[in-house]
Amino acid sequence: MDDNAERPKSLKFKEPVIDVAFSPTSDLVASSLITGHVFIHQYSLTGNTRQHRLKPHRKSCRSLCFAGDGLSLYTASKDKSWQSLDITTGAELTRVEEAHDKAINIVKYVNEQIIATGDESGGLKLWDIRQNNKPAFTFKEHVDYISDMVFNSDKRHLLATSGDGCMSIYDVRKSKPFHVSENQDDELLSVAIMRGGKKVIVGETDGVLGIFTYGQFDDVTDRFPGHPQSIDSICKLTEDLCVTGSSDGLLRIVQLFPHKLVGVAGDHKSLPVEKVVLSYDQQWLASCSHDHTVHFWDIGYIFNDGASDEDEDADVNGDEKLDAQAMAIQVSKGIVDDEPEIDIDGLSDGSELRVRGDPESGIDSSDDEVDIVDSDSDSGESDGSDDGDNLTKHIDPVSANAKEEPTDANDNEEASDSDGWGSWGDSDDEGNDTAAKRRKPKPTKAEKLKAKRAALAELVNPDKKKRASGASFFADL
C-alpha cells in the first residue's frame, strides 16, 4: 500500500501542543498551543487543510473540546478565562474573563446546557450556557489541580480526578457533590467510564490503572499494573478496550476483564503523551506530545473484521519484537508468572517495554510526515502541502508470549504457537493421522498477524463473525 495514503499526515507546530480534540460530527481536529493559539484543521488521507488559526487567549490554551453538535469549540486558558468559538467562521460566541481565581486546567462539554471547568487549585465550576457569565454551581472538594473529567449521561454524573489523589462525583443538577473517594496515595491523572457504566478506571502516576466499581466510590476494587510510567490520558474504544497515553511515549491498547496489555497503537519516541482521542468515525486516534506534533494513528482495524493483505505484510516485521516487549513489561510488573528466555537488546530483565535509541540524540524527524504550521506569526505559514514521507506505520495488537508446549504424539492437535494466541492452526478434521497433521505447512507471519487482528475484532464484535468450534484465539489470554 502507498505509505502516503495510509493515514492523515501529522500536524507539526513551532510550539508545544497541549491538547487535541476531534469534532464529533466531521473530519475536523482542533489543537491548542502553549502560546494561546488554537488551530482547526480538516484532515484526510489526501492532505490536511487548515480552517482557522486563532489567538483567543493571552496565555497558554490548556484545554479545548467540541460541543456535542460540532458547531462550536470551547477553550480554557492559563489566563483564567474560557470561551466558545464558532467553528464555521472562527468568531467568538461567548467569553468569560476571570472565570476562576486560579489558572484553568480543563474545560469539559457536559450537555447542550452545561459546561464544566476545573482549575489548578482544585476548584470546579458548572456553567449554565444560557446564563452567559454566571456559574450555576461552584465546588471546592480538592486541594490540588483538576486533571481530567468525564460525564455519565445516564446518571447525570460528572466525575473529576485530581492531583490530590481523590476522585469526586457530582450530580450536575445539585449544588453538593455526590461523593468524594478516599485518597489513593497517588496523583490521579485521567479517567474513563467502562463496561457499560459499571466500572470507572483512573490513570495514576505510578503506571497503575485503578478500577472503581460504579456506586462504590470510596476505594478502588481492582488495580492493574503494566505501565512503566504515569498514565496521563485514557481514550475509551469499546466497553472492554481503551487506549492509554503514557509518559514513556507509548499508546497502549488495554483490555479489561480479563486485564491484558493487548498491543501498541502508536509511539512518540519516549516523549510524554499529553492527550489521546478517538475520531467520530472510529477510524483514527490523534495524540499530542512534547514533540510539537499531532500524530494520527490507524485504529479502525479494531472495529472491522480484518485488514487488507498489504497491511498485514507491512506490519509483520515488527510483530515478534512487540510480542517480546509486551511480555517483558508484564513480567516486570508481575502480571504473568513465567518469564520466557527473551533478550530485548540486552534488557532481559524487562525493565523497559521497548528498545530505546540514544537518549542524547533527541528526535529523528528526518522521516516524519508532517504539515508545518507557524504558530508565532502570520509570515511563513504552511499552506498544508503534503511533503515528506509518512511518519511510521501503525503497530497492530500483540499479546504476551506463552511458553511452547512439547508436542504429544498421542494428541491430535499441534502444540500451541509460542506467541501466546492459542492453537489457531488446529485442524477440525477427525481421525488419528497425527503424522499428516504435523507435516501441515507452518502458517506464515502474515497469516498469524491476520489471525490476531481477527481475534481482536471478534472481541469487539463477537456476534459479527462466528468462529469455528475449538478455534477461539482468546482461550489462552
PDB file of all heavy atoms in Angstrom, residues 359-395:
ATOM      1  N   PRO A 359      19.593   8.302  24.169  1.00  0.00           N
ATOM      2  CA  PRO A 359      18.802   9.369  24.796  1.00  0.00           C
ATOM      3  C   PRO A 359      19.335  10.756  24.474  1.00  0.00           C
ATOM      4  O   PRO A 359      18.623  11.735  24.605  1.00  0.00           O
ATOM      5  CB  PRO A 359      18.910   9.065  26.295  1.00  0.00           C
ATOM      6  CG  PRO A 359      20.145   8.237  26.432  1.00  0.00           C
ATOM      7  CD  PRO A 359      20.247   7.446  25.168  1.00  0.00           C
ATOM      8  N   GLU A 360      20.589  10.829  24.054  1.00  0.00           N
ATOM      9  CA  GLU A 360      21.138  12.143  23.760  1.00  0.00           C
ATOM     10  C   GLU A 360      20.829  12.597  22.337  1.00  0.00           C
ATOM     11  O   GLU A 360      21.064  13.746  21.973  1.00  0.00           O
ATOM     12  CB  GLU A 360      22.665  12.110  23.950  1.00  0.00           C
ATOM     13  CG  GLU A 360      23.088  11.736  25.360  1.00  0.00           C
ATOM     14  CD  GLU A 360      22.616  12.755  26.381  1.00  0.00           C
ATOM     15  OE1 GLU A 360      22.495  13.926  26.013  1.00  0.00           O
ATOM     16  OE2 GLU A 360      22.383  12.375  27.536  1.00  0.00           O
ATOM     17  N   SER A 361      20.321  11.679  21.545  1.00  0.00           N
ATOM     18  CA  SER A 361      20.152  12.008  20.131  1.00  0.00           C
ATOM     19  C   SER A 361      18.899  12.798  19.849  1.00  0.00           C
ATOM     20  O   SER A 361      18.751  13.358  18.774  1.00  0.00           O
ATOM     21  CB  SER A 361      20.117  10.720  19.312  1.00  0.00           C
ATOM     22  OG  SER A 361      19.004   9.944  19.667  1.00  0.00           O
ATOM     23  N   GLY A 362      17.936  12.803  20.786  1.00  0.00           N
ATOM     24  CA  GLY A 362      16.696  13.537  20.557  1.00  0.00           C
ATOM     25  C   GLY A 362      15.822  12.836  19.561  1.00  0.00           C
ATOM     26  O   GLY A 362      15.867  11.628  19.396  1.00  0.00           O
ATOM     27  N   ILE A 363      14.975  13.607  18.856  1.00  0.00           N
ATOM     28  CA  ILE A 363      14.013  13.045  17.920  1.00  0.00           C
ATOM     29  C   ILE A 363      14.592  13.068  16.516  1.00  0.00           C
ATOM     30  O   ILE A 363      15.044  14.106  16.051  1.00  0.00           O
ATOM     31  CB  ILE A 363      12.709  13.847  17.950  1.00  0.00           C
ATOM     32  CG1 ILE A 363      12.144  13.833  19.379  1.00  0.00           C
ATOM     33  CG2 ILE A 363      11.686  13.282  16.990  1.00  0.00           C
ATOM     34  CD1 ILE A 363      10.958  14.733  19.529  1.00  0.00           C
ATOM     35  N   ASP A 364      14.550  11.930  15.877  1.00  0.00           N
ATOM     36  CA  ASP A 364      14.953  11.883  14.482  1.00  0.00           C
ATOM     37  C   ASP A 364      13.721  12.089  13.628  1.00  0.00           C
ATOM     38  O   ASP A 364      12.924  11.190  13.461  1.00  0.00           O
ATOM     39  CB  ASP A 364      15.608  10.527  14.179  1.00  0.00           C
ATOM     40  CG  ASP A 364      16.054  10.439  12.735  1.00  0.00           C
ATOM     41  OD1 ASP A 364      16.026  11.465  12.032  1.00  0.00           O
ATOM     42  OD2 ASP A 364      16.419   9.332  12.320  1.00  0.00           O
ATOM     43  N   SER A 365      13.548  13.288  13.135  1.00  0.00           N
ATOM     44  CA  SER A 365      12.346  13.620  12.382  1.00  0.00           C
ATOM     45  C   SER A 365      12.593  13.627  10.884  1.00  0.00           C
ATOM     46  O   SER A 365      11.815  14.177  10.121  1.00  0.00           O
ATOM     47  CB  SER A 365      11.798  14.987  12.811  1.00  0.00           C
ATOM     48  OG  SER A 365      12.770  15.982  12.597  1.00  0.00           O
ATOM     49  N   SER A 366      13.718  12.974  10.448  1.00  0.00           N
ATOM     50  CA  SER A 366      14.027  13.008   9.037  1.00  0.00           C
ATOM     51  C   SER A 366      12.999  12.295   8.204  1.00  0.00           C
ATOM     52  O   SER A 366      12.790  12.613   7.045  1.00  0.00           O
ATOM     53  CB  SER A 366      15.401  12.370   8.805  1.00  0.00           C
ATOM     54  OG  SER A 366      15.415  11.030   9.267  1.00  0.00           O
ATOM     55  N   ASP A 367      12.309  11.303   8.806  1.00  0.00           N
ATOM     56  CA  ASP A 367      11.304  10.551   8.067  1.00  0.00           C
ATOM     57  C   ASP A 367       9.899  10.943   8.453  1.00  0.00           C
ATOM     58  O   ASP A 367       8.938  10.301   8.054  1.00  0.00           O
ATOM     59  CB  ASP A 367      11.489   9.042   8.313  1.00  0.00           C
ATOM     60  CG  ASP A 367      12.806   8.540   7.736  1.00  0.00           C
ATOM     61  OD1 ASP A 367      13.239   9.139   6.739  1.00  0.00           O
ATOM     62  OD2 ASP A 367      13.366   7.578   8.277  1.00  0.00           O
ATOM     63  N   ASP A 368       9.749  11.960   9.308  1.00  0.00           N
ATOM     64  CA  ASP A 368       8.411  12.341   9.741  1.00  0.00           C
ATOM     65  C   ASP A 368       7.638  12.935   8.580  1.00  0.00           C
ATOM     66  O   ASP A 368       8.168  13.690   7.781  1.00  0.00           O
ATOM     67  CB  ASP A 368       8.484  13.392  10.864  1.00  0.00           C
ATOM     68  CG  ASP A 368       8.896  12.752  12.165  1.00  0.00           C
ATOM     69  OD1 ASP A 368       9.125  11.532  12.144  1.00  0.00           O
ATOM     70  OD2 ASP A 368       8.969  13.463  13.180  1.00  0.00           O
ATOM     71  N   GLU A 369       6.339  12.612   8.561  1.00  0.00           N
ATOM     72  CA  GLU A 369       5.454  13.158   7.544  1.00  0.00           C
ATOM     73  C   GLU A 369       4.544  14.150   8.236  1.00  0.00           C
ATOM     74  O   GLU A 369       3.691  13.783   9.025  1.00  0.00           O
ATOM     75  CB  GLU A 369       4.654  12.015   6.928  1.00  0.00           C
ATOM     76  CG  GLU A 369       3.690  12.472   5.876  1.00  0.00           C
ATOM     77  CD  GLU A 369       2.872  11.315   5.381  1.00  0.00           C
ATOM     78  OE1 GLU A 369       2.669  10.384   6.149  1.00  0.00           O
ATOM     79  OE2 GLU A 369       2.424  11.364   4.239  1.00  0.00           O
ATOM     80  N   VAL A 370       4.767  15.404   8.025  1.00  0.00           N
ATOM     81  CA  VAL A 370       4.081  16.423   8.806  1.00  0.00           C
ATOM     82  C   VAL A 370       3.643  17.571   7.913  1.00  0.00           C
ATOM     83  O   VAL A 370       4.118  17.755   6.799  1.00  0.00           O
ATOM     84  CB  VAL A 370       4.998  16.986   9.927  1.00  0.00           C
ATOM     85  CG1 VAL A 370       5.387  15.908  10.897  1.00  0.00           C
ATOM     86  CG2 VAL A 370       6.241  17.621   9.323  1.00  0.00           C
ATOM     87  N   ASP A 371       2.691  18.325   8.460  1.00  0.00           N
ATOM     88  CA  ASP A 371       2.339  19.614   7.885  1.00  0.00           C
ATOM     89  C   ASP A 371       2.895  20.675   8.824  1.00  0.00           C
ATOM     90  O   ASP A 371       2.552  20.703  10.002  1.00  0.00           O
ATOM     91  CB  ASP A 371       0.815  19.770   7.784  1.00  0.00           C
ATOM     92  CG  ASP A 371       0.237  18.860   6.731  1.00  0.00           C
ATOM     93  OD1 ASP A 371       0.994  18.491   5.825  1.00  0.00           O
ATOM     94  OD2 ASP A 371      -0.964  18.545   6.823  1.00  0.00           O
ATOM     95  N   ILE A 372       3.751  21.540   8.346  1.00  0.00           N
ATOM     96  CA  ILE A 372       4.368  22.558   9.188  1.00  0.00           C
ATOM     97  C   ILE A 372       3.412  23.722   9.335  1.00  0.00           C
ATOM     98  O   ILE A 372       2.901  24.256   8.365  1.00  0.00           O
ATOM     99  CB  ILE A 372       5.698  23.032   8.582  1.00  0.00           C
ATOM    100  CG1 ILE A 372       6.627  21.818   8.361  1.00  0.00           C
ATOM    101  CG2 ILE A 372       6.362  24.054   9.487  1.00  0.00           C
ATOM    102  CD1 ILE A 372       6.992  21.098   9.618  1.00  0.00           C
ATOM    103  N   VAL A 373       3.189  24.129  10.596  1.00  0.00           N
ATOM    104  CA  VAL A 373       2.286  25.238  10.872  1.00  0.00           C
ATOM    105  C   VAL A 373       3.013  26.252  11.722  1.00  0.00           C
ATOM    106  O   VAL A 373       3.595  25.913  12.754  1.00  0.00           O
ATOM    107  CB  VAL A 373       1.033  24.738  11.617  1.00  0.00           C
ATOM    108  CG1 VAL A 373       0.125  25.903  11.921  1.00  0.00           C
ATOM    109  CG2 VAL A 373       0.313  23.684  10.793  1.00  0.00           C
ATOM    110  N   ASP A 374       3.015  27.482  11.296  1.00  0.00           N
ATOM    111  CA  ASP A 374       3.661  28.561  12.038  1.00  0.00           C
ATOM    112  C   ASP A 374       2.711  29.064  13.104  1.00  0.00           C
ATOM    113  O   ASP A 374       1.658  29.589  12.809  1.00  0.00           O
ATOM    114  CB  ASP A 374       4.008  29.686  11.057  1.00  0.00           C
ATOM    115  CG  ASP A 374       4.821  30.783  11.739  1.00  0.00           C
ATOM    116  OD1 ASP A 374       4.920  30.732  12.971  1.00  0.00           O
ATOM    117  OD2 ASP A 374       5.342  31.657  11.034  1.00  0.00           O
ATOM    118  N   SER A 375       3.105  28.889  14.395  1.00  0.00           N
ATOM    119  CA  SER A 375       2.240  29.312  15.489  1.00  0.00           C
ATOM    120  C   SER A 375       2.634  30.665  16.042  1.00  0.00           C
ATOM    121  O   SER A 375       2.004  31.157  16.965  1.00  0.00           O
ATOM    122  CB  SER A 375       2.287  28.264  16.609  1.00  0.00           C
ATOM    123  OG  SER A 375       3.596  28.155  17.118  1.00  0.00           O
ATOM    124  N   ASP A 376       3.688  31.263  15.488  1.00  0.00           N
ATOM    125  CA  ASP A 376       4.163  32.514  16.062  1.00  0.00           C
ATOM    126  C   ASP A 376       3.676  33.729  15.294  1.00  0.00           C
ATOM    127  O   ASP A 376       3.343  34.751  15.881  1.00  0.00           O
ATOM    128  CB  ASP A 376       5.705  32.516  16.090  1.00  0.00           C
ATOM    129  CG  ASP A 376       6.232  31.477  17.064  1.00  0.00           C
ATOM    130  OD1 ASP A 376       5.530  31.226  18.059  1.00  0.00           O
ATOM    131  OD2 ASP A 376       7.316  30.960  16.823  1.00  0.00           O
ATOM    132  N   SER A 377       3.667  33.650  14.010  1.00  0.00           N
ATOM    133  CA  SER A 377       3.296  34.822  13.234  1.00  0.00           C
ATOM    134  C   SER A 377       2.601  34.394  11.967  1.00  0.00           C
ATOM    135  O   SER A 377       2.563  33.230  11.618  1.00  0.00           O
ATOM    136  CB  SER A 377       4.553  35.641  12.904  1.00  0.00           C
ATOM    137  OG  SER A 377       5.401  34.902  12.051  1.00  0.00           O
ATOM    138  N   ASP A 378       2.053  35.340  11.262  1.00  0.00           N
ATOM    139  CA  ASP A 378       1.358  35.052  10.027  1.00  0.00           C
ATOM    140  C   ASP A 378       2.322  34.835   8.879  1.00  0.00           C
ATOM    141  O   ASP A 378       1.937  34.362   7.817  1.00  0.00           O
ATOM    142  CB  ASP A 378       0.412  36.208   9.670  1.00  0.00           C
ATOM    143  CG  ASP A 378      -0.718  36.310  10.669  1.00  0.00           C
ATOM    144  OD1 ASP A 378      -1.054  35.266  11.241  1.00  0.00           O
ATOM    145  OD2 ASP A 378      -1.243  37.420  10.866  1.00  0.00           O
ATOM    146  N   SER A 379       3.569  35.233   9.045  1.00  0.00           N
ATOM    147  CA  SER A 379       4.529  35.093   7.962  1.00  0.00           C
ATOM    148  C   SER A 379       5.076  33.688   7.919  1.00  0.00           C
ATOM    149  O   SER A 379       5.309  33.066   8.939  1.00  0.00           O
ATOM    150  CB  SER A 379       5.692  36.077   8.149  1.00  0.00           C
ATOM    151  OG  SER A 379       6.358  35.820   9.370  1.00  0.00           O
ATOM    152  N   GLY A 380       5.302  33.177   6.720  1.00  0.00           N
ATOM    153  CA  GLY A 380       5.901  31.859   6.562  1.00  0.00           C
ATOM    154  C   GLY A 380       5.010  30.733   6.956  1.00  0.00           C
ATOM    155  O   GLY A 380       5.493  29.663   7.286  1.00  0.00           O
ATOM    156  N   GLU A 381       3.696  30.915   6.960  1.00  0.00           N
ATOM    157  CA  GLU A 381       2.800  29.843   7.360  1.00  0.00           C
ATOM    158  C   GLU A 381       2.679  28.819   6.261  1.00  0.00           C
ATOM    159  O   GLU A 381       2.791  29.106   5.081  1.00  0.00           O
ATOM    160  CB  GLU A 381       1.418  30.415   7.680  1.00  0.00           C
ATOM    161  CG  GLU A 381       1.431  31.293   8.913  1.00  0.00           C
ATOM    162  CD  GLU A 381       0.085  31.933   9.131  1.00  0.00           C
ATOM    163  OE1 GLU A 381      -0.819  31.676   8.350  1.00  0.00           O
ATOM    164  OE2 GLU A 381      -0.049  32.690  10.096  1.00  0.00           O
ATOM    165  N   SER A 382       2.425  27.579   6.676  1.00  0.00           N
ATOM    166  CA  SER A 382       2.298  26.494   5.716  1.00  0.00           C
ATOM    167  C   SER A 382       0.940  26.539   5.045  1.00  0.00           C
ATOM    168  O   SER A 382      -0.048  26.941   5.640  1.00  0.00           O
ATOM    169  CB  SER A 382       2.470  25.161   6.433  1.00  0.00           C
ATOM    170  OG  SER A 382       2.129  24.098   5.603  1.00  0.00           O
ATOM    171  N   ASP A 383       0.914  26.115   3.810  1.00  0.00           N
ATOM    172  CA  ASP A 383      -0.359  26.024   3.100  1.00  0.00           C
ATOM    173  C   ASP A 383      -0.954  24.640   3.172  1.00  0.00           C
ATOM    174  O   ASP A 383      -1.877  24.290   2.460  1.00  0.00           O
ATOM    175  CB  ASP A 383      -0.174  26.424   1.635  1.00  0.00           C
ATOM    176  CG  ASP A 383       0.833  25.522   0.920  1.00  0.00           C
ATOM    177  OD1 ASP A 383       1.384  24.638   1.606  1.00  0.00           O
ATOM    178  OD2 ASP A 383       1.047  25.700  -0.288  1.00  0.00           O
ATOM    179  N   GLY A 384      -0.391  23.792   4.075  1.00  0.00           N
ATOM    180  CA  GLY A 384      -0.941  22.442   4.251  1.00  0.00           C
ATOM    181  C   GLY A 384      -0.490  21.494   3.170  1.00  0.00           C
ATOM    182  O   GLY A 384      -1.117  20.485   2.937  1.00  0.00           O
ATOM    183  N   SER A 385       0.610  21.809   2.469  1.00  0.00           N
ATOM    184  CA  SER A 385       1.074  20.921   1.418  1.00  0.00           C
ATOM    185  C   SER A 385       1.567  19.624   1.988  1.00  0.00           C
ATOM    186  O   SER A 385       1.994  19.558   3.131  1.00  0.00           O
ATOM    187  CB  SER A 385       2.190  21.599   0.616  1.00  0.00           C
ATOM    188  OG  SER A 385       3.282  21.914   1.462  1.00  0.00           O
ATOM    189  N   ASP A 386       1.574  18.585   1.201  1.00  0.00           N
ATOM    190  CA  ASP A 386       1.907  17.239   1.649  1.00  0.00           C
ATOM    191  C   ASP A 386       3.359  16.950   1.311  1.00  0.00           C
ATOM    192  O   ASP A 386       3.667  16.484   0.214  1.00  0.00           O
ATOM    193  CB  ASP A 386       0.995  16.201   0.994  1.00  0.00           C
ATOM    194  CG  ASP A 386      -0.456  16.484   1.302  1.00  0.00           C
ATOM    195  OD1 ASP A 386      -0.709  17.160   2.310  1.00  0.00           O
ATOM    196  OD2 ASP A 386      -1.310  16.031   0.551  1.00  0.00           O
ATOM    197  N   ASP A 387       4.285  17.244   2.206  1.00  0.00           N
ATOM    198  CA  ASP A 387       5.691  16.997   1.976  1.00  0.00           C
ATOM    199  C   ASP A 387       6.191  15.945   2.931  1.00  0.00           C
ATOM    200  O   ASP A 387       5.721  15.817   4.045  1.00  0.00           O
ATOM    201  CB  ASP A 387       6.525  18.277   2.193  1.00  0.00           C
ATOM    202  CG  ASP A 387       6.145  19.350   1.182  1.00  0.00           C
ATOM    203  OD1 ASP A 387       5.781  18.965   0.060  1.00  0.00           O
ATOM    204  OD2 ASP A 387       6.220  20.545   1.526  1.00  0.00           O
ATOM    205  N   GLY A 388       7.214  15.215   2.521  1.00  0.00           N
ATOM    206  CA  GLY A 388       7.868  14.262   3.399  1.00  0.00           C
ATOM    207  C   GLY A 388       7.252  12.894   3.333  1.00  0.00           C
ATOM    208  O   GLY A 388       6.217  12.678   2.738  1.00  0.00           O
ATOM    209  N   ASP A 389       7.938  11.979   3.959  1.00  0.00           N
ATOM    210  CA  ASP A 389       7.474  10.608   3.992  1.00  0.00           C
ATOM    211  C   ASP A 389       6.557  10.401   5.161  1.00  0.00           C
ATOM    212  O   ASP A 389       6.529  11.171   6.090  1.00  0.00           O
ATOM    213  CB  ASP A 389       8.674   9.637   4.116  1.00  0.00           C
ATOM    214  CG  ASP A 389       9.571   9.743   2.901  1.00  0.00           C
ATOM    215  OD1 ASP A 389       9.020  10.032   1.817  1.00  0.00           O
ATOM    216  OD2 ASP A 389      10.788   9.545   3.040  1.00  0.00           O
ATOM    217  N   ASN A 390       5.839   9.329   5.122  1.00  0.00           N
ATOM    218  CA  ASN A 390       4.937   9.000   6.228  1.00  0.00           C
ATOM    219  C   ASN A 390       5.747   8.740   7.486  1.00  0.00           C
ATOM    220  O   ASN A 390       6.836   8.158   7.430  1.00  0.00           O
ATOM    221  CB  ASN A 390       4.116   7.762   5.855  1.00  0.00           C
ATOM    222  CG  ASN A 390       3.020   7.503   6.850  1.00  0.00           C
ATOM    223  OD1 ASN A 390       3.257   6.832   7.850  1.00  0.00           O
ATOM    224  ND2 ASN A 390       1.848   8.026   6.593  1.00  0.00           N
ATOM    225  N   LEU A 391       5.225   9.169   8.627  1.00  0.00           N
ATOM    226  CA  LEU A 391       5.971   9.080   9.883  1.00  0.00           C
ATOM    227  C   LEU A 391       6.316   7.652  10.245  1.00  0.00           C
ATOM    228  O   LEU A 391       7.448   7.292  10.421  1.00  0.00           O
ATOM    229  CB  LEU A 391       5.162   9.730  11.009  1.00  0.00           C
ATOM    230  CG  LEU A 391       5.818   9.662  12.391  1.00  0.00           C
ATOM    231  CD1 LEU A 391       7.098  10.468  12.367  1.00  0.00           C
ATOM    232  CD2 LEU A 391       4.866  10.177  13.436  1.00  0.00           C
ATOM    233  N   THR A 392       5.317   6.828  10.379  1.00  0.00           N
ATOM    234  CA  THR A 392       5.528   5.419  10.732  1.00  0.00           C
ATOM    235  C   THR A 392       4.243   4.677  10.569  1.00  0.00           C
ATOM    236  O   THR A 392       3.180   5.276  10.533  1.00  0.00           O
ATOM    237  CB  THR A 392       6.022   5.291  12.198  1.00  0.00           C
ATOM    238  OG1 THR A 392       6.279   3.933  12.492  1.00  0.00           O
ATOM    239  CG2 THR A 392       4.974   5.812  13.166  1.00  0.00           C
ATOM    240  N   LYS A 393       4.321   3.406  10.456  1.00  0.00           N
ATOM    241  CA  LYS A 393       3.110   2.610  10.317  1.00  0.00           C
ATOM    242  C   LYS A 393       2.504   2.370  11.679  1.00  0.00           C
ATOM    243  O   LYS A 393       3.181   2.366  12.687  1.00  0.00           O
ATOM    244  CB  LYS A 393       3.441   1.261   9.660  1.00  0.00           C
ATOM    245  CG  LYS A 393       3.872   1.406   8.204  1.00  0.00           C
ATOM    246  CD  LYS A 393       4.081   0.038   7.600  1.00  0.00           C
ATOM    247  CE  LYS A 393       4.445   0.162   6.135  1.00  0.00           C
ATOM    248  NZ  LYS A 393       3.361   0.693   5.349  1.00  0.00           N
ATOM    249  N   HIS A 394       1.186   2.102  11.667  1.00  0.00           N
ATOM    250  CA  HIS A 394       0.563   1.754  12.935  1.00  0.00           C
ATOM    251  C   HIS A 394       1.041   0.377  13.343  1.00  0.00           C
ATOM    252  O   HIS A 394       1.385  -0.449  12.514  1.00  0.00           O
ATOM    253  CB  HIS A 394      -0.963   1.782  12.818  1.00  0.00           C
ATOM    254  CG  HIS A 394      -1.519   0.708  11.944  1.00  0.00           C
ATOM    255  ND1 HIS A 394      -1.810   0.945  10.615  1.00  0.00           N
ATOM    256  CD2 HIS A 394      -1.828  -0.568  12.212  1.00  0.00           C
ATOM    257  CE1 HIS A 394      -2.278  -0.166  10.092  1.00  0.00           C
ATOM    258  NE2 HIS A 394      -2.298  -1.095  11.043  1.00  0.00           N
ATOM    259  N   ILE A 395       1.038   0.145  14.647  1.00  0.00           N
ATOM    260  CA  ILE A 395       1.514  -1.119  15.179  1.00  0.00           C
ATOM    261  C   ILE A 395       0.313  -1.899  15.648  1.00  0.00           C
ATOM    262  O   ILE A 395      -0.500  -1.408  16.420  1.00  0.00           O
ATOM    263  CB  ILE A 395       2.489  -0.880  16.348  1.00  0.00           C
ATOM    264  CG1 ILE A 395       3.629   0.031  15.875  1.00  0.00           C
ATOM    265  CG2 ILE A 395       3.033  -2.193  16.852  1.00  0.00           C
ATOM    266  CD1 ILE A 395       4.581   0.423  16.962  1.00  0.00           C
TER     267      ILE A 395
END
